[in-house]
Amino acid sequence: MKLICIGRNYVDHIDELNNERPDEPVVFIKPDSAILPKEQDFYIPEFSQDVHYEVEVLVKIKKVGKHVSKEFAHKYYDEVGLGIDFTARDLQSKLKSKGLPWEKAKGFDGAAVVGKWLSKSKFKNLDNLNFTLSKNGEKMQEGNTSLMLWKIDEIIAYVSTYFMLKKGDIIFTGTPAGVGKVSPNDYLVGTLEGEQLFDINVR
């Protein structure tokens, strides 16, 4: 399985990092080895002094698909969740300045938190989901999927034109504003529509 990630999908996050607004989704891949094992703490890698949290709504693909149309995209997933795209921002900035790929900054071991999965039938409208990330009890990120430039079904249709979707693949749909640095002993909690889906200790 693979982790398909969408960058620059919330205007406020684009603005806070002074990035250019894209004309089409920005897509990158994390390897499955990036998934932080359940119940394990997140350890800041020694090669970065500026690792950031980025909370994101997740979608789990349930069957193989290629060239999926937007109208049929909803048939390719039953579960949604919440996770973190940990990013070594200092390394990413260095790589971007040289026009190089981001994988080392985004795909390192433990860089992907995957929280509890929920049935999409639990929600009236997936394009209107509230989600948050708190650090040490203080709310740092607050988003709503209505603010995504590309909604879930649009993302599935787009990425499936380039990558065959397989059962178990996970799509990270992008992060809102409020990203920031993690430090040892930080405690991160993520909620989707008020329900806690993950909590992570940083070491």
Side-chain angles (χ1 to χ4, degrees):
M1 54 86 74
K2 55 191 173 291
L3 311 180
I4 303 169
C5 307
I6 306 300
R8 304 181 191 177
N9 203 21
Y10 288 83
V11 172
D12 55 359
H13 176 58
I14 294 171
D15 292 342
E16 74 175 345
L17 293 186
N18 295 313
N19 284 323
E20 182 179 337
R21 180 168 174 165
D23 295 324
E24 56 188 38
V26 175
V27 181
F28 60 95
I29 303 288
K30 288 178 183 266
D32 58 3
S33 55
I35 296 177
L36 185 70
K38 298 292 185 185
E39 311 301 327
Q40 183 171 307
D41 295 342
F42 173 74
Y43 286 83
I44 298 171
E46 59 184 19
F47 53 76
S48 178
Q49 303 302 313
D50 193 25
V51 172
H52 285 203
Y53 53 79
E54 297 185 5
V55 69
E56 310 197 12
V57 172
L58 311 182
V59 178
K60 185 195 290 184
I61 299 299
K62 71 172 185 176
K63 63 180 181 178
V64 172
K66 179 70 174 172
H67 295 293
V68 177
S69 68
K70 176 185 172 184
E71 292 71 26
F72 292 103
H74 67 279
K75 296 179 178 291
Y76 286 80
Y77 63 100
D78 286 332
E79 295 176 291
V80 296
L82 200 68
I84 297 176
D85 166 19
F86 278 120
T87 304
R89 191 73 69 202
D90 47 358
L91 181 55
Q92 183 191 34
S93 296
K94 181 180 178 181
L95 293 167
K96 286 171 63 178
S97 71
K98 296 180 179 180
L100 298 172
W102 305 346
E103 273 79 0
K104 289 190 290 185
K106 290 277 195 177
F108 58 88
D109 295 348
V113 172
V114 177
K116 175 183 174 184
W117 292 103
L118 300 174
S119 171
K120 69 178 184 181
S121 64
K122 182 174 181 176
F123 306 105
K124 292 182 179 179
N125 183 3
L126 296 181
D127 293 335
N128 187 26
L129 297 177
N130 293 296
F131 60 103
T132 68
L133 182 136
S134 298
K135 182 174 75 170
N136 305 326
E138 179 181 358
K139 191 178 295 181
M140 308 302 290
Q141 287 188 273
E142 189 168 11
N144 184 287
T145 53
S146 67
L147 300 175
M148 293 197 299
L149 295 177
W150 291 279
K151 305 299 192 287
I152 292 172
D153 290 352
E154 293 174 302
I155 292 170
I156 289 174
Y158 182 82
V159 300
S160 70
T161 64
Y162 297 92
F163 311 108
M164 179 183 289
L165 300 176
K166 293 189 174 183
K167 183 177 180 179
D169 285 352
I170 298 172
I171 298 178
F172 281 63
T173 60
T175 194
V179 302
K181 182 178 180 179
V182 292
S183 300
N185 301 315
D186 280 345
Y187 178 60
L188 307 177
V189 174
T191 70
L192 180 65
E193 285 295 313
E195 182 172 347
Q196 180 177 316
L197 297 190
F198 67 75
D199 65 312
I200 298 292
N201 290 297
V202 179
R203 303 298 182 201

